[in-house]
Amino acid sequence: MSEAGSVNQQSNLRGAREEYYDQIAEYDLSPLWEVNKRLVTPEPVIEAKPHLWDYDAIRASLMRSGELITTKEAQRRVLILENPGLDHSHRITESLFGGLQLIMPGEIAPAHRHSPAALRFIMEGEGAYTAVSGERSYMKPGDFIITPAWAWHNHGHEGDEPVVWLDGLDIPMVAAFGPLFFEMYPDDVAPASVPPGDSLARYGANMRPVGQGWSKLESPIFNYPYDRSREALEQLRRDSDWDPCCGLKLQYVNPTTGGSAMPTIATFLQLLPKDFKGESWRTTEGIVYSPTEGSGRVIVQNGDETVTMDWKEKDIFCVPCWMPHRLEAYEDAVLFSFSDRAAQEKLGIWREIRGA
Ligand SMILES: [Fe+2]
């Protein structure tokens, strides 16, 4: 066949294919071979960006919300941490929601429940409490608190200073599957059915009640006090090997299984010694960090772009999926973090590359 004939034949075939694609579209069909390279990419294509929220810069805006709307009106007075790469879709990473919640003295955040699970990490203030599944617990800075999926919960504040916490929820994950449910309790406060401290007494002393089973996916402990977790890190620093990427890093676990304290979100507390210069860590989990002590910087590689962010106490920064990052500490530093690792591990899709 002549060259011209071959070009003609290819042009006819292209036209026939386009016509065919239009025809099958009427039956809600499309050809995989035309979209496959975009559908399943050789490596993750991530829209979220590495980003840092400077707590000192945003605190005044958060406090202003306390003058403009009550917790009762808002149900929850939360400023959403919007990832600048995700077009205000109320996500801090591809799969996680993040927010800063403010409760003022005397306020009550009315009781409700929802199918997404939530964590709280207390940033500042004392005197506020949360009640989860009928048990009340007072919150102090650094405490990590779980609100399991579909558990009744309300918050209140009996102190005299604003209380702020970091909220982390798996809303985008639940939304991807579909089953988003929400329900208000008929009264502001759900009735107390368990005395304060009950769950920690039953399960928080490396013991468990004999003859009682625990079959729920989340940890039976819903408040992990900071002083206990911090003391564990301090004890370990004396004779432990430092992980080259993460320093000393502990995961909050469900004591009945040893697995993640929450079924979808993994949570951690880590210590970095002064002058720590971490090796590169690349992982598929999208991570949200919030330092509780000290200062340092994180260097994130987002494709060709190197992003360096200086962090200090109470800042919040995120490192999206599959972006190599290195942590450095200018002084002794402690960082809380949460990620979608727990869900990814259950699905068999989590992976990491340690070092360069
Ligand atoms: Fe809630």
Side-chain angles (χ1 to χ4, degrees), residues 198-199 201-204 206-214 220 256:
D198 187 84
S199 60
R202 286 176 195 271
Y203 294 97
N206 298 318
M207 304 173 89
R208 63 185 293 172
V210 175
Q212 280 183 21
W214 181 265
T256 67

Side-chain angles (χ1 to χ4, degrees), residues 158-355:
E158 298 170 348
D160 52 15
E161 57 186 357
V163 168
V164 177
W165 62 79
L166 173 65
D167 275 326
L169 286 95
D170 57 10
I171 295 170
M173 285 188 238
V174 178
F177 288 109
L180 280 171
F181 292 94
F182 175 91
E183 187 179 1
M184 292 298 295
Y185 194 76
D187 302 317
D188 280 353
V189 177
S193 55
V194 184
D198 187 84
S199 60
L200 210 51
R202 286 176 195 271
Y203 294 97
N206 298 318
M207 304 173 89
R208 63 185 293 172
V210 175
Q212 280 183 21
W214 181 265
S215 57
K216 294 179 178 174
L217 293 175
E218 71 273 6
S219 170
I221 299 171
F222 74 98
N223 186 349
Y224 293 73
Y226 184 66
D227 51 4
R228 286 196 188 188
S229 314
R230 182 70 183 85
E231 173 56 29
L233 287 171
E234 205 54 41
Q235 183 76 26
L236 286 172
R237 76 182 300 163
R238 290 173 205 157
D239 59 354
S240 291
D241 292 332
W242 299 84
D243 180 275
C245 300
C246 301
L248 280 179
K249 189 171 184 180
L250 294 175
Q251 180 174 9
Y252 294 93
V253 297
N254 174 345
T256 67
T257 63
S260 170
M262 302 173 72
T264 53
I265 304 177
T267 47
F268 308 90
L269 195 71
Q270 74 193 97
L271 177 67
L272 306 178
K274 183 178 188 300
D275 298 327
F276 180 79
K277 284 188 169 33
E279 289 183 12
S280 172
W281 187 38
R282 187 177 208 189
T283 162
T284 50
E285 65 204 87
I287 310 173
V288 178
Y289 288 96
S290 185
T292 60
E293 299 174 30
S295 62
R297 67 175 186 167
V298 61
I299 301 131
V300 189
Q301 199 61 40
N302 181 11
D304 295 334
E305 189 188 6
T306 303
V307 181
T308 301
M309 301 182 287
D310 276 299
W311 48 260
K312 60 180 172 8
E313 192 181 322
K314 296 193 186 73
D315 288 347
I316 298 134
F317 62 93
C318 62
V319 178
C321 168
W322 211 230
M323 293 186 191
H325 70 290
R326 292 191 289 113
L327 288 167
E328 297 182 358
Y330 301 142
E331 55 194 315
D332 275 7
V334 179
L335 295 93
F336 171 77
S337 61
F338 66 94
S339 79
D340 51 4
R341 178 171 178 165
Q344 287 197 29
E345 286 182 333
K346 288 185 177 72
L347 296 170
I349 55 175
W350 181 86
R351 63 168 84 176
E352 66 172 344
I353 296 174
R354 299 168 62 80

Side-chain angles (χ1 to χ4, degrees), residues 18 48 67 88 174 220 339:
E18 292 300 332
E67 299 162 2
H88 281 249
V174 178
S339 79

Side-chain angles (χ1 to χ4, degrees), residues 6-279:
S6 167
V7 169
N8 243 348
Q9 197 179 37
Q10 279 179 20
S11 169
N12 288 343
L13 188 56
R14 233 182 353 257
R17 283 179 183 170
E18 292 300 332
E19 199 179 320
Y20 169 73
Y21 299 157
D22 288 345
Q23 280 172 8
I24 63 172
E26 290 178 25
Y27 299 102
D28 300 307
L29 300 168
S30 68
L32 173 64
W33 59 88
E34 287 290 321
V35 298
N36 204 16
K37 285 183 181 157
R38 276 173 285 141
L39 191 65
V40 184
T41 53
E43 294 215 350
V45 176
I46 300 300
E47 290 173 349
K49 292 190 159 82
H51 190 70
L52 180 139
W53 289 264
D54 180 330
Y55 191 76
D56 292 344
I58 60 178
R59 188 180 182 279
S61 300
L62 185 61
M63 293 302 148
R64 177 70 175 136
S65 73
E67 299 162 2
L68 296 175
I69 189 163
T70 64
T71 278
K72 188 152 186 178
E73 279 177 285
Q75 285 184 19
R76 298 293 185 264
R77 193 197 287 112
V78 176
L79 294 187
I80 301 170
L81 300 162
E82 298 279 5
N83 187 292
L86 296 175
D87 197 26
H88 281 249
S89 57
H90 317 321
R91 291 178 290 164
I92 189 165
T93 65
E94 305 283 328
S95 67
L96 292 168
F97 169 101
L100 283 175
Q101 182 158 170
L102 169 68
I103 186 163
M104 300 298 282
E107 288 189 322
I108 286 178
H112 67 209
R113 61 181 174 177
H114 33 73
S115 51
L119 68 86
R120 334 268 170 216
F121 188 73
I122 314 308
M123 305 288 277
E124 65 166 290
E126 293 196 25
Y129 65 84
T130 187
V132 177
S133 304
E135 182 178 346
R136 184 181 282 202
S137 180
Y138 285 84
M139 306 184 278
K140 290 199 289 197
D143 290 355
F144 158 58
I145 288 164
I146 297 171
T147 304
W150 210 236
W152 291 114
H153 56 284
N154 54 269
H155 317 299
H157 192 352
E158 298 170 348
D160 52 15
E161 57 186 357
V163 168
V164 177
W165 62 79
L166 173 65
D167 275 326
L169 286 95
D170 57 10
I171 295 170
M173 285 188 238
V174 178
F177 288 109
L180 280 171
F181 292 94
F182 175 91
E183 187 179 1
M184 292 298 295
Y185 194 76
D187 302 317
D188 280 353
V189 177
S193 55
V194 184
D198 187 84
S199 60
L200 210 51
R202 286 176 195 271
Y203 294 97
N206 298 318
M207 304 173 89
R208 63 185 293 172
V210 175
Q212 280 183 21
W214 181 265
S215 57
K216 294 179 178 174
L217 293 175
E218 71 273 6
S219 170
I221 299 171
F222 74 98
N223 186 349
Y224 293 73
Y226 184 66
D227 51 4
R228 286 196 188 188
S229 314
R230 182 70 183 85
E231 173 56 29
L233 287 171
E234 205 54 41
Q235 183 76 26
L236 286 172
R237 76 182 300 163
R238 290 173 205 157
D239 59 354
S240 291
D241 292 332
W242 299 84
D243 180 275
C245 300
C246 301
L248 280 179
K249 189 171 184 180
L250 294 175
Q251 180 174 9
Y252 294 93
V253 297
N254 174 345
T256 67
T257 63
S260 170
M262 302 173 72
T264 53
I265 304 177
T267 47
F268 308 90
L269 195 71
Q270 74 193 97
L271 177 67
L272 306 178
K274 183 178 188 300
D275 298 327
F276 180 79
K277 284 188 169 33
E279 289 183 12

